[in-house]
Amino acid sequence: MKYSFLKLPVIFLLTCLISSKVLFAQDSVSLRMHLNTLCSKSFSGRGYVNDGMGKAADYIVNQFRSDSLQSFTKDYRQAFTYPVNTFTSVMDVKIDGRTLQPGVDYLVHAAASGYYKESMKVKIIDGLDFAEKVKKKDTVLIKDWEKWSKQLTKEKFAFVLQNIDTINSLMQWKGNKEFVKHLPKGVFFIPYHKKPIWTVSQAAMPATVIEFYDTNFVFKKNKISVAVDNKFLTKFEADNIAGFVPGKESTDSFIVITAHYDHLGKMGNRTMFPGASDNASGTSMMLELARYYAANPAKYTMVFIAFAGEEAGLLGSKYFTEHPLMDLGKIKFLINIDIMGDATSGISVVNGKTHETEYNILAGLNKAGIDGFSFKEVRQGGAAANSDHYFFTEKGVPAFFIFSMGGKGYYHDIWDKADKVTLQNIPQFGELVKRFIATF
Ligand SMILES: [Zn+2]
């Protein structure tokens, strides 16, 4: 053995680089496996069709069990219910015999009712006509709208609504979200000049609103056929999944990692929203951290929670904070992960301005480097009610919500697929979180 002393540091450095690369590579294999599974067809977009959310819950329970996490309940589950509007079977919209592509040409409004009717005539309704009708009035009342909108009750027509903004501002309604609730039963096309973004609704409304995204299409004397089936469930049953690894030094102080595992599911029986980035990616990271801490317990008890019902309005985390499985006052810190699929531009930290000290620790660890890697940016964000950290923050639990910045920007659409998620710099995020947790 004749290595010179000069060469030793080089070899050491090389070994470190290679081993950290191998480490990150292994992490990314596990992350990829979870991600692909959670986005696969059989999970149906982890929503309300074919028990998709239930299957994802089972998957997480099995992971927690095989990693030997402990449970607050008998099977890691915390059950709760909520009302939700679902589209579980037929969804077929045709113009002049041509079937429109769901998720591409149109979205059915999340709160829409079902409707079956063939060969409706198109009638274009312009909001400017309403403005014309009420223009001499100082204040426009709901009865003005009700009188004018009577023309929308003729069920032989499919209405195409234009210039709704005018109506919204006259009625002082908060955009189309409020507008559509005032529509009667019937079919209404609302043209949009933006990317389709679908949601989940806890309520159902009388109208069947078709958000129409084919901007090249000009409605004339067309024939429209609609077959949309909805099911409004008053008590959809969902489970939060929680497991923990007792701390080495203290078992009644907690560090909590959370991620929502639900997504939008399917719009009808054919159109799936895989939710790869949102939030199969964050769920995969949470599972990997759970596996790591099960094998390498921390100073404090590590708690891992996968929330349901996030897309319907942060419902799982709200329920958990109202029915906590442990003392919320004993949480030293909580990290919520929602969208962790591609961090080529860095990471963003919601509540980074609220918890300045912890933010500085995190940013400092990044600056020092994670085995030679640093994120381009660790953005210091303010408070926001945009994910599952929110109700914890409201209860005084110190929490960050961290999401990755980068990727193709697919969001709540049919293109948010596993193969579009690169996992670039994502294992490094896992390592940064471990180092951050070690500072507590
Ligand atoms: Zn979402």
Side-chain angles (χ1 to χ4, degrees):
M1 304 295 256
K2 281 188 125 192
Y3 295 114
S4 78
F5 282 105
L6 243 178
K7 276 183 187 161
L8 264 175
V10 177
I11 288 158
F12 177 70
L13 200 72
L14 272 173
T15 315
C16 286
L17 272 173
I18 290 161
S19 63
S20 76
K21 280 230 171 91
V22 167
L23 176 84
F24 288 149
Q26 278 167 351
D27 285 357
S28 101
V29 168
S30 312
L31 287 169
R32 174 61 63 190
M33 189 198 70
H34 292 312
L35 186 73
N36 288 356
T37 308
L38 289 165
C39 297
S40 62
K41 270 191 187 155
S42 67
F43 286 73
S44 300
R46 305 183 304 286
Y48 306 90
V49 180
N50 302 334
D51 191 30
M53 207 187 299
K55 284 173 188 163
D58 293 346
Y59 180 76
I60 296 162
V61 164
N62 286 338
Q63 290 298 319
F64 280 3
R65 193 170 285 140
S66 75
D67 294 337
S68 305
L69 261 65
Q70 297 196 26
S71 176
F72 296 107
T73 60
K74 83 176 195 303
D75 55 359
Y76 302 102
R77 294 170 195 266
Q78 179 187 46
F80 66 105
T81 63
Y82 56 93
V84 65
N85 192 37
T86 68
F87 304 92
T88 56
S89 62
V90 180
M91 175 134 328
D92 192 24
V93 179
K94 289 192 180 92
I95 299 182
D96 302 329
R98 175 175 70 97
T99 296
L100 302 186
Q101 218 183 322
V104 180
D105 297 328
Y106 73 94
L107 292 174
V108 166
H109 191 289
S113 282
Y115 208 86
Y116 287 85
K117 201 168 179 74
E118 299 223 336
S119 297
M120 287 172 279
K121 282 185 187 165
V122 165
K123 188 160 197 151
I124 296 171
I125 296 286
D126 198 315
L128 297 173
D129 295 340
F130 179 65
E132 189 67 26
K133 193 93 180 169
V134 297
K135 75 173 172 191
K136 290 204 178 75
K137 300 194 171 180
D138 296 333
T139 49
V140 184
L141 302 169
I142 186 78
K143 66 179 183 195
D144 295 313
W145 161 257
E146 279 165 2
K147 208 173 146 197
W148 186 80
S149 68
K150 280 237 163 69
Q151 63 182 314
L152 303 175
T153 57
K154 290 180 185 138
E155 293 194 12
K156 63 177 175 181
F157 294 115
F159 297 94
V160 176
L161 305 175
Q162 291 174 346
N163 296 311
I164 306 168
D165 295 355
T166 319
I167 299 172
N168 283 331
S169 72
L170 284 165
M171 297 305 302
Q172 298 185 315
W173 288 339
K174 292 181 201 91
N176 291 1
K177 208 175 169 183
E178 198 172 345
F179 170 85
V180 293
K181 290 182 196 162
H182 295 279
L183 289 169
K185 188 172 168 54
V187 174
F188 303 91
F189 278 64
I190 303 179
Y192 282 92
H193 292 266
K194 58 173 189 181
K195 282 201 266 183
I197 293 178
W198 207 42
T199 52
V200 180
S201 175
Q202 285 192 75
M205 62 189 187
T208 305
V209 171
I210 315 277
E211 299 176 352
F212 190 66
Y213 295 91
D214 185 352
T215 50
N216 295 321
F217 191 83
V218 182
F219 286 95
K220 281 180 198 146
K221 286 185 173 170
N222 310 99
K223 284 279 164 61
I224 292 185
S225 298
V226 168
V228 171
D229 191 61
N230 86 310
K231 264 193 192 67
F232 184 76
L233 309 173
T234 51
K235 283 190 168 181
F236 176 76
E237 294 176 2
D239 289 329
N240 292 327
I241 315 292
F244 66 94
V245 180
K248 282 190 295 189
E249 289 177 26
S250 163
T251 51
D252 73 341
S253 288
F254 309 102
I255 304 273
V256 186
I257 308 283
T258 66
H260 79 83
Y261 71 92
D262 67 300
H263 193 55
L264 308 171
K266 290 174 97 170
M267 190 180 83
N269 52 14
R270 287 184 301 143
T271 311
M272 181 169 108
F273 292 72
S277 149
D278 179 13
N279 186 29
S281 64
T283 305
S284 304
M285 176 54 70
M286 186 275 296
L287 289 173
E288 273 310 282
L289 289 168
R291 190 172 65 115
Y292 172 81
Y293 283 105
N296 307 278
K299 194 159 144 195
Y300 301 110
T301 295
M302 294 293 306
V303 181
F304 301 90
I305 315 170
F307 290 120
E310 194 267 358
E311 302 289 8
L314 315 180
L315 302 178
S317 51
K318 184 169 193 283
Y319 186 87
F320 190 95
T321 55
E322 288 163 355
H323 307 85
L325 297 176
M326 80 284 209
D327 185 351
L328 296 184
K330 293 198 170 148
I331 299 178
K332 289 191 122 17
F333 212 80
L334 180 145
I335 300 171
N336 176 53
I337 309 167
D338 186 358
I339 298 185
M340 191 50 64
D342 183 327
T344 40
S345 304
I347 53 173
S348 189
V349 184
V350 172
N351 278 349
K353 286 180 179 156
T354 320
H355 304 294
E356 191 94 27
T357 311
E358 289 82 357
Y359 170 80
N360 288 334
I361 291 169
L362 188 74
L365 288 168
N366 179 60
K367 210 174 171 193
I370 310 144
D371 296 332
F373 169 88
S374 293
F375 288 103
K376 268 188 202 162
E377 189 187 355
V378 177
R379 186 180 290 166
Q380 188 175 19
N386 51 0
S387 189
D388 290 317
H389 63 289
Y390 175 69
F391 288 106
F392 288 93
T393 303
E394 289 290 287
K395 297 258 177 188
V397 175
F400 281 159
F401 157 34
I402 308 182
F403 61 91
S404 60
M405 300 188 293
K408 296 196 169 74
Y410 295 121
Y411 176 74
H412 282 218
D413 57 35
I414 59 167
W415 300 284
D416 184 11
K417 293 179 181 172
D419 62 3
K420 300 280 196 307
V421 170
T422 61
L423 294 177
Q424 188 85 35
N425 303 342
I426 300 303
Q428 288 85 338
F429 171 75
E431 196 54 38
L432 178 64
V433 167
K434 289 173 200 166
R435 292 180 191 199
F436 177 68
I437 288 168
T439 65
F440 283 87

